Amino acid sequence: MAFSLPPLSYAFNALEPHIDARTMEIHHGKHHQAYVTNLNNAIAGSPAENMSLEDICKNISKYAVAVRNNGGGHWNHSFFWQIMKPGGGGSPSGALADAINAAFGNFDEFKTKFNAAGVGRFGSGWAWLIKNASGKLEICSTPNQDNPLMDIAEVKGTPIIGCDVWEHAYYLHYQNRRPDYLAAWWNVVNWDEAAKRFSS
Ligand code: MN3
């Protein structure tokens, strides 16, 4: 099989109380696993089996919708687990902090705009902070399992942070309160990982 579920680098309960253990267990072990399984089924016997997931995303318009949904799902969730960590949160420093201030005024303004992108996404999708082709930061949102790497994305760029706003990411603990989930999510953001991605 071409792709496999990456292990979490922390325990299911490590992001509590902000994200509960049961949600993490189902989200990683069931939802993410299903994207991996369905992606592998969708590309079986095709050249995509030997391509990087990032290259598949960048050329996603050439693939079947099952590859778009499940390849996106696999990339997005692999990223999501890394962009969170126990004891995360706070605010970024260094070049990333400077770039956020330059693009959005200040950190609180940035968070307000990011939250609006997440709350405003109708149905299922993601909110993103990306670095665009000219190196500037932008906030955007994608439907379903699309992401800003994809050639079909409205706003394209390299994801710096991203938040899953599908109901499966928060419903057990927050029910319909997506804004409460987003507010809590800032407490687990891994700014070290975000800074690494921003400077690469
Ligand atoms: Mn999800």
Side-chain angles (χ1 to χ4, degrees):
M1 282 304 192
F3 294 104
S4 57
L5 183 69
L8 278 184
S9 64
Y10 40 81
F12 292 131
N13 66 0
L15 303 181
E16 289 191 343
H18 311 295
I19 302 182
D20 65 284
R22 185 77 177 131
T23 293
M24 288 298 293
E25 188 176 1
I26 296 170
H27 201 174
H28 180 262
K30 304 292 184 194
H31 291 280
H32 190 174
Q33 179 64 66
Y35 296 124
V36 172
T37 301
N38 294 332
L39 172 63
N40 284 334
N41 290 338
I43 64 173
S46 81
E49 278 194 319
N50 300 308
M51 288 175 61
S52 76
L53 188 51
E54 198 158 316
D55 283 340
I56 293 173
C57 285
K58 285 176 177 171
N59 296 283
I60 205 70
S61 61
K62 297 175 185 155
Y63 292 91
V65 68
V67 179
R68 176 174 169 179
N69 289 340
N70 294 292
H74 181 30
W75 194 94
N76 294 349
H77 288 83
S78 302
F79 174 76
F80 189 54
W81 311 134
Q82 290 178 30
I83 214 66
M84 301 188 291
K85 70 171 184 183
S91 54
S93 57
L96 178 55
D98 294 344
I100 285 174
N101 293 337
F104 308 107
N106 58 56
F107 186 60
D108 284 339
E109 277 294 306
F110 155 68
K111 286 207 293 186
T112 299
K113 285 178 180 148
F114 187 98
N115 287 344
V119 171
R121 165 54 54 192
F122 181 77
S124 299
W126 292 74
W128 305 95
L129 173 68
I130 62 161
K131 184 168 78 168
N132 67 22
S134 53
K136 295 241 164 61
L137 292 176
E138 287 185 68
I139 289 167
C140 63
S141 127
T142 54
N144 304 314
Q145 295 297 354
D146 288 358
N147 66 47
L149 295 171
M150 292 181 173
D151 59 358
I152 45 87
E154 244 172 77
V155 181
K156 293 183 211 26
T158 304
I160 306 300
I161 66 171
C163 185
D164 187 344
V165 298
W166 283 57
E167 282 188 345
H168 69 222
Y170 61 86
Y171 201 85
L172 290 182
H173 186 70
Y174 295 97
Q175 291 80 49
N176 62 321
R177 304 188 308 277
R178 189 188 288 183
D180 292 356
Y181 158 68
L182 272 160
W185 182 75
W186 293 107
N187 293 304
V188 297
V189 172
N190 183 348
W191 286 112
D192 294 332
E193 180 66 24
K196 227 187 315 176
R197 288 170 184 269
F198 178 68
S199 62
S200 69

